[in-house]
Amino acid sequence: MAATRLQRDLKKKRPFESAAQEAALNLLRTSDRLQHRFVRLFRQHGVTPAQYNILRILRGEGQPLPILEIASRTVTVVPGITGLVDRLQQAGLVERIRCEQDRRVIYVAVTPKGMDILAALDRPVVELHEKLLGHLGQKDLKELNRLLAKARAPWPDE
Amino acid sequence: MAATRLQRDLKKKRPFESAAQEAALNLLRTSDRLQHRFVRLFRQHGVTPAQYNILRILRGEGQPLPILEIASRTVTVVPGITGLVDRLQQAGLVERIRCEQDRRVIYVAVTPKGMDILAALDRPVVELHEKLLGHLGQKDLKELNRLLAKARAPWPDE
DNA sequence: CGAAATTAGTTTACATGTCAACTATCTTCA
DNA sequence: TGAAGATAGTTGACATGTAAACTAATTTCG
């Protein structure tokens, strides 16, 4: 069996033990490299991917959200959201608003400056997606989505 | 267009703007959840995925490797490898050996304890791969590998 | 030959993701 | 009613990945 491109990339001496292992590594590596491209894009606008994601979530909701709610929509646990919101607040992109009915609850709202960042990134984000994945074409993109969904289907929710 | 499972998972209000964006998010999410499963497995044996990867690389090479070489085989830049090797060394899983011909070079070697960890994880790692991706079947796995490779093909090397 | 340039690895600072513990606030129940 | 239990968010510690700066060692070149 000829060494796959992935195998050569990794300077791996032995062939993959199984297709599943190759797929897993393929998945991680592709995802990692994809993320890197977005990291670079976001960095040009002064935010990190995780920060951008929070801004995006808040804009999508159209109103301030409690920290617990934000956490439920991201891969990050609550203490991590605290840190993210800290830094977003420091950068003037969000503000914290304590709920008057329940003093435990903190709402996070996007500032106009945060909205500006989002607006500035709307087009570049779309373009980067097309640039990185557009060559797959609609048929293969749908197939990729199908396979990824099929892969996840039996995994228990977290 | 009916909301996809992924969209519902993310409590996303609006449909995906494009198949490319859906695929990107699908990729990141699938990869993330896959990694989580391995994190849990490795944690049971007292190592993190990145540490395990380094042990694996060293065993695969069959001899000690310089830090720069290790870095070239992982997604981590050199200062990060220093930290990883620090912690591996602290745990007694690797040792540092300074090269006598070039005093700048540090070789990293797996200790017998490190080899024990690797051996203990060999089978569980294979089984987890099968468990998480085996249901796709050979045909779909090959197709997934093809699509992921095709996705990456035009991306410049880093 | 010796200074300048290059290289290998470390240190420092930062962001992010995780877990455990903690504080403040609200709800439940005897 | 007031204590116990539950909840929302924060703090602290840790690992990992990144960039910049630094130190030690080797190589290059005038």
Side-chain angles (χ1 to χ4, degrees), chain A residues 23-87:
Chain A
L25 220 37
N26 241 326
L27 198 50
L28 299 187
R29 185 152 175 86
T30 309
S31 167
D32 191 65
R33 290 186 58 188
L34 185 76
Q35 283 177 275
H36 267 247
R37 296 298 295 271
F38 282 97
V39 168
R40 281 158 51 186
L41 172 60
F42 295 136
R43 190 187 298 142
Q44 286 167 15
H45 291 78
V47 294
T48 66
Q51 293 170 2
Y52 172 77
N53 192 35
I54 290 189
L55 292 176
R56 187 91 177 236
I57 287 168
L58 291 170
R59 184 180 64 173
E61 185 65 24
Q63 62 186 16
L65 283 175
I67 287 194
L68 276 210
E69 181 63 28
I70 295 176
S72 77
R73 306 188 186 195
T74 75
V75 297
T76 308
V77 292
V78 174
I81 302 294
T82 299
L84 278 165
V85 171
D86 285 346
R87 288 180 289 276

Side-chain angles (χ1 to χ4, degrees), chain A residues 99-146:
Chain A
C99 174
E100 309 218 338
Q101 282 73 44
D102 184 339
R103 305 282 301 167
R104 296 173 302 181
V105 177
I106 304 252
Y107 285 94
V108 181
V110 194
T111 64
K113 188 177 175 188
M115 293 296 283
D116 288 343
I117 298 274
L118 282 166
L121 274 163
D122 276 342
R123 189 180 185 82
V125 165
V126 170
E127 287 172 350
L128 187 54
H129 277 105
E130 287 305 317
K131 180 174 181 182
L132 293 178
L133 297 172
H135 63 282
L136 285 180
Q138 288 298 310
K139 184 161 176 277
D140 275 350
L141 280 173
K142 291 188 66 174
E143 180 67 0
L144 181 56
N145 279 320
R146 181 187 78 83

Side-chain angles (χ1 to χ4, degrees), chain A residues 4-10 16 22 25-26 29, chain B residues 152:
Chain A
T4 63
R5 166 76 187 274
L6 181 61
Q7 188 174 331
R8 270 184 278 115
D9 281 353
L10 297 177
F16 285 106
E22 183 173 359
L25 220 37
N26 241 326
R29 185 152 175 86
Chain B
R152 284 199 316 273

